Short mmCIF file of all heavy atoms in Angstrom, two decimals:
data_model
loop_
_atom_site.label_atom_id
_atom_site.label_comp_id
_atom_site.label_asym_id
_atom_site.label_seq_id
_atom_site.Cartn_x
_atom_site.Cartn_y
_atom_site.Cartn_z
N TRP K 1143 112.28 -90.15 119.78
CA TRP K 1143 111.09 -90.85 119.31
C TRP K 1143 109.84 -90.27 119.94
O TRP K 1143 109.86 -89.81 121.07
CB TRP K 1143 111.22 -92.34 119.63
CG TRP K 1143 112.38 -92.93 118.92
CD1 TRP K 1143 113.69 -92.92 119.33
CD2 TRP K 1143 112.38 -93.55 117.65
NE1 TRP K 1143 114.49 -93.52 118.39
CE2 TRP K 1143 113.71 -93.91 117.36
CE3 TRP K 1143 111.38 -93.85 116.74
CZ2 TRP K 1143 114.05 -94.56 116.17
CZ3 TRP K 1143 111.72 -94.49 115.57
CH2 TRP K 1143 113.05 -94.85 115.30
N ARG K 1144 108.76 -90.35 119.23
CA ARG K 1144 107.45 -89.92 119.71
C ARG K 1144 106.49 -91.10 119.62
O ARG K 1144 106.63 -91.98 118.75
CB ARG K 1144 106.90 -88.77 118.86
CG ARG K 1144 107.84 -87.60 118.73
CD ARG K 1144 107.48 -86.52 119.71
NE ARG K 1144 108.33 -85.37 119.51
CZ ARG K 1144 109.07 -84.85 120.48
NH1 ARG K 1144 109.05 -85.36 121.67
NH2 ARG K 1144 109.82 -83.79 120.25
N ALA K 1145 105.50 -91.10 120.49
CA ALA K 1145 104.52 -92.19 120.50
C ALA K 1145 103.83 -92.31 119.15
O ALA K 1145 103.62 -93.42 118.65
CB ALA K 1145 103.50 -91.97 121.62
N ARG K 1146 103.50 -91.19 118.54
CA ARG K 1146 102.78 -91.25 117.25
C ARG K 1146 103.61 -91.91 116.15
O ARG K 1146 103.06 -92.54 115.26
CB ARG K 1146 102.29 -89.87 116.85
CG ARG K 1146 103.37 -88.89 116.50
CD ARG K 1146 102.80 -87.53 116.09
NE ARG K 1146 103.83 -86.56 115.87
CZ ARG K 1146 104.30 -85.73 116.79
NH1 ARG K 1146 103.80 -85.75 118.00
NH2 ARG K 1146 105.26 -84.89 116.51
N GLU K 1147 104.94 -91.77 116.21
CA GLU K 1147 105.79 -92.43 115.22
C GLU K 1147 105.71 -93.95 115.38
O GLU K 1147 105.63 -94.68 114.40
CB GLU K 1147 107.24 -91.99 115.38
CG GLU K 1147 107.48 -90.54 115.08
CD GLU K 1147 108.87 -90.12 115.47
OE1 GLU K 1147 109.18 -90.14 116.68
OE2 GLU K 1147 109.64 -89.79 114.55
N LEU K 1148 105.75 -94.40 116.61
CA LEU K 1148 105.67 -95.83 116.87
C LEU K 1148 104.30 -96.38 116.48
O LEU K 1148 104.21 -97.47 115.93
CB LEU K 1148 105.97 -96.09 118.35
CG LEU K 1148 107.39 -95.71 118.79
CD1 LEU K 1148 107.48 -95.65 120.31
CD2 LEU K 1148 108.41 -96.66 118.21
N LEU K 1149 103.26 -95.61 116.72
CA LEU K 1149 101.92 -96.01 116.30
C LEU K 1149 101.85 -96.16 114.78
O LEU K 1149 101.27 -97.11 114.26
CB LEU K 1149 100.88 -94.99 116.78
CG LEU K 1149 100.59 -95.00 118.28
CD1 LEU K 1149 99.83 -93.75 118.69
CD2 LEU K 1149 99.83 -96.26 118.67
N ARG K 1150 102.45 -95.20 114.05
CA ARG K 1150 102.47 -95.27 112.58
C ARG K 1150 103.22 -96.50 112.08
O ARG K 1150 102.94 -97.00 110.99
CB ARG K 1150 103.11 -94.01 112.00
CG ARG K 1150 102.14 -92.88 111.80
CD ARG K 1150 102.69 -91.81 110.87
NE ARG K 1150 103.99 -91.33 111.27
CZ ARG K 1150 104.22 -90.22 111.98
NH1 ARG K 1150 103.23 -89.46 112.36
NH2 ARG K 1150 105.45 -89.86 112.30
N LEU K 1151 104.19 -96.97 112.87
CA LEU K 1151 104.94 -98.16 112.49
C LEU K 1151 104.19 -99.45 112.83
O LEU K 1151 104.69 -100.54 112.59
CB LEU K 1151 106.31 -98.16 113.18
CG LEU K 1151 107.28 -97.08 112.72
CD1 LEU K 1151 108.51 -97.06 113.62
CD2 LEU K 1151 107.69 -97.30 111.26
N GLY K 1152 103.00 -99.32 113.41
CA GLY K 1152 102.19 -100.48 113.71
C GLY K 1152 102.33 -101.02 115.12
O GLY K 1152 101.87 -102.13 115.41
N TYR K 1153 102.94 -100.25 115.99
CA TYR K 1153 103.13 -100.68 117.38
C TYR K 1153 101.95 -100.23 118.24
O TYR K 1153 101.39 -99.16 118.04
CB TYR K 1153 104.43 -100.09 117.95
CG TYR K 1153 105.66 -100.80 117.44
CD1 TYR K 1153 106.16 -100.54 116.17
CD2 TYR K 1153 106.31 -101.74 118.22
CE1 TYR K 1153 107.27 -101.20 115.69
CE2 TYR K 1153 107.43 -102.40 117.75
CZ TYR K 1153 107.90 -102.14 116.49
OH TYR K 1153 109.00 -102.82 116.01
N ASP K 1154 101.59 -101.07 119.22
CA ASP K 1154 100.69 -100.66 120.29
C ASP K 1154 101.56 -99.95 121.31
O ASP K 1154 102.61 -100.49 121.71
CB ASP K 1154 100.02 -101.88 120.94
CG ASP K 1154 99.11 -102.61 119.97
OD1 ASP K 1154 98.43 -101.94 119.18
OD2 ASP K 1154 99.09 -103.86 120.01
N VAL K 1155 101.15 -98.77 121.76
CA VAL K 1155 102.01 -97.95 122.60
C VAL K 1155 101.32 -97.60 123.91
O VAL K 1155 100.17 -97.18 123.91
CB VAL K 1155 102.42 -96.64 121.86
CG1 VAL K 1155 103.29 -95.76 122.74
CG2 VAL K 1155 103.11 -96.96 120.55
N THR K 1156 102.05 -97.77 125.00
CA THR K 1156 101.61 -97.32 126.32
C THR K 1156 102.61 -96.29 126.81
O THR K 1156 103.81 -96.59 126.90
CB THR K 1156 101.53 -98.50 127.31
OG1 THR K 1156 100.64 -99.48 126.80
CG2 THR K 1156 101.05 -98.02 128.67
N VAL K 1157 102.13 -95.09 127.10
CA VAL K 1157 103.00 -93.99 127.53
C VAL K 1157 102.97 -93.86 129.05
O VAL K 1157 101.90 -93.92 129.66
CB VAL K 1157 102.57 -92.66 126.87
CG1 VAL K 1157 103.38 -91.48 127.41
CG2 VAL K 1157 102.70 -92.76 125.35
N TYR K 1158 104.13 -93.67 129.63
CA TYR K 1158 104.28 -93.42 131.07
C TYR K 1158 104.80 -92.00 131.22
O TYR K 1158 105.97 -91.72 130.98
CB TYR K 1158 105.24 -94.43 131.69
CG TYR K 1158 104.73 -95.83 131.59
CD1 TYR K 1158 105.04 -96.63 130.49
CD2 TYR K 1158 103.89 -96.35 132.57
CE1 TYR K 1158 104.54 -97.92 130.38
CE2 TYR K 1158 103.40 -97.64 132.47
CZ TYR K 1158 103.72 -98.41 131.38
OH TYR K 1158 103.22 -99.68 131.26
N GLU K 1159 103.90 -91.10 131.62
CA GLU K 1159 104.25 -89.68 131.72
C GLU K 1159 105.25 -89.46 132.86
O GLU K 1159 105.09 -90.00 133.96
CB GLU K 1159 103.00 -88.85 131.94
CG GLU K 1159 102.08 -88.87 130.74
CD GLU K 1159 100.85 -88.00 130.92
OE1 GLU K 1159 100.77 -87.25 131.91
OE2 GLU K 1159 99.95 -88.10 130.07
N GLY K 1160 106.26 -88.65 132.57
CA GLY K 1160 107.26 -88.29 133.58
C GLY K 1160 108.01 -89.47 134.15
O GLY K 1160 108.49 -89.42 135.29
N PHE K 1161 108.17 -90.51 133.38
CA PHE K 1161 108.77 -91.76 133.87
C PHE K 1161 110.18 -91.55 134.40
O PHE K 1161 110.56 -92.10 135.41
CB PHE K 1161 108.78 -92.81 132.75
CG PHE K 1161 109.37 -94.13 133.19
CD1 PHE K 1161 108.57 -95.06 133.83
CD2 PHE K 1161 110.70 -94.42 132.97
CE1 PHE K 1161 109.10 -96.27 134.25
CE2 PHE K 1161 111.24 -95.63 133.38
CZ PHE K 1161 110.44 -96.56 134.02
N HIS K 1162 110.95 -90.76 133.68
CA HIS K 1162 112.36 -90.55 134.07
C HIS K 1162 112.44 -89.37 135.03
O HIS K 1162 112.95 -88.30 134.70
CB HIS K 1162 113.22 -90.34 132.82
CG HIS K 1162 113.29 -91.55 131.94
ND1 HIS K 1162 114.06 -92.64 132.24
CD2 HIS K 1162 112.66 -91.84 130.79
CE1 HIS K 1162 113.92 -93.56 131.31
NE2 HIS K 1162 113.07 -93.10 130.40
N ALA K 1163 111.97 -89.59 136.25
CA ALA K 1163 111.85 -88.53 137.25
C ALA K 1163 113.19 -87.96 137.69
O ALA K 1163 113.25 -86.85 138.23
CB ALA K 1163 111.08 -89.03 138.46
N GLN K 1164 114.27 -88.66 137.43
CA GLN K 1164 115.59 -88.18 137.82
C GLN K 1164 116.09 -87.05 136.91
O GLN K 1164 117.06 -86.38 137.24
CB GLN K 1164 116.60 -89.33 137.87
CG GLN K 1164 117.10 -89.80 136.50
CD GLN K 1164 116.17 -90.77 135.78
OE1 GLN K 1164 115.01 -90.93 136.13
NE2 GLN K 1164 116.69 -91.42 134.76
N LEU K 1165 115.41 -86.83 135.79
CA LEU K 1165 115.80 -85.78 134.85
C LEU K 1165 114.87 -84.59 134.98
O LEU K 1165 113.72 -84.73 135.37
CB LEU K 1165 115.76 -86.32 133.42
CG LEU K 1165 116.66 -87.54 133.14
CD1 LEU K 1165 116.42 -88.05 131.73
CD2 LEU K 1165 118.12 -87.20 133.36
N THR K 1166 115.39 -83.42 134.63
CA THR K 1166 114.58 -82.20 134.68
C THR K 1166 114.55 -81.56 133.30
O THR K 1166 115.61 -81.22 132.78
CB THR K 1166 115.18 -81.20 135.69
OG1 THR K 1166 115.29 -81.86 136.96
CG2 THR K 1166 114.30 -79.99 135.85
N PRO K 1167 113.36 -81.37 132.71
CA PRO K 1167 112.07 -81.91 133.14
C PRO K 1167 112.03 -83.41 132.88
O PRO K 1167 112.71 -83.92 131.98
CB PRO K 1167 111.06 -81.17 132.27
CG PRO K 1167 111.81 -80.85 131.02
CD PRO K 1167 113.24 -80.64 131.45
N PRO K 1168 111.23 -84.14 133.65
CA PRO K 1168 111.20 -85.60 133.49
C PRO K 1168 110.51 -86.02 132.19
O PRO K 1168 109.33 -85.74 131.99
CB PRO K 1168 110.41 -86.09 134.71
CG PRO K 1168 109.64 -84.91 135.16
CD PRO K 1168 110.39 -83.68 134.73
N PRO K 1169 111.25 -86.68 131.28
CA PRO K 1169 110.64 -87.10 130.02
C PRO K 1169 109.73 -88.31 130.21
O PRO K 1169 109.87 -89.07 131.17
CB PRO K 1169 111.84 -87.45 129.15
CG PRO K 1169 112.95 -87.73 130.09
CD PRO K 1169 112.68 -86.96 131.33
N ASP K 1170 108.81 -88.44 129.29
CA ASP K 1170 107.95 -89.61 129.26
C ASP K 1170 108.73 -90.81 128.72
O ASP K 1170 109.81 -90.65 128.13
CB ASP K 1170 106.74 -89.37 128.35
CG ASP K 1170 105.87 -88.22 128.82
OD1 ASP K 1170 105.95 -87.85 130.01
OD2 ASP K 1170 105.10 -87.70 127.99
#
């Protein structure tokens, strides 16, 4: 999923960059 897809579906979206720090590279 991408933030822009959720926005298109009518959702308010807050992104947390690098949230999953245990993974390489850390996904948002």
Side-chain angles (χ1 to χ4, degrees):
W1143 298 84
R1144 306 262 184 236
R1146 67 180 175 268
E1147 294 171 295
L1148 296 165
L1149 288 166
R1150 273 196 307 263
L1151 292 172
Y1153 284 78
D1154 295 321
V1155 179
T1156 302
V1157 174
Y1158 297 90
E1159 293 182 9
F1161 181 85
H1162 295 284
Q1164 76 278 15
L1165 301 174
T1166 305
D1170 298 340

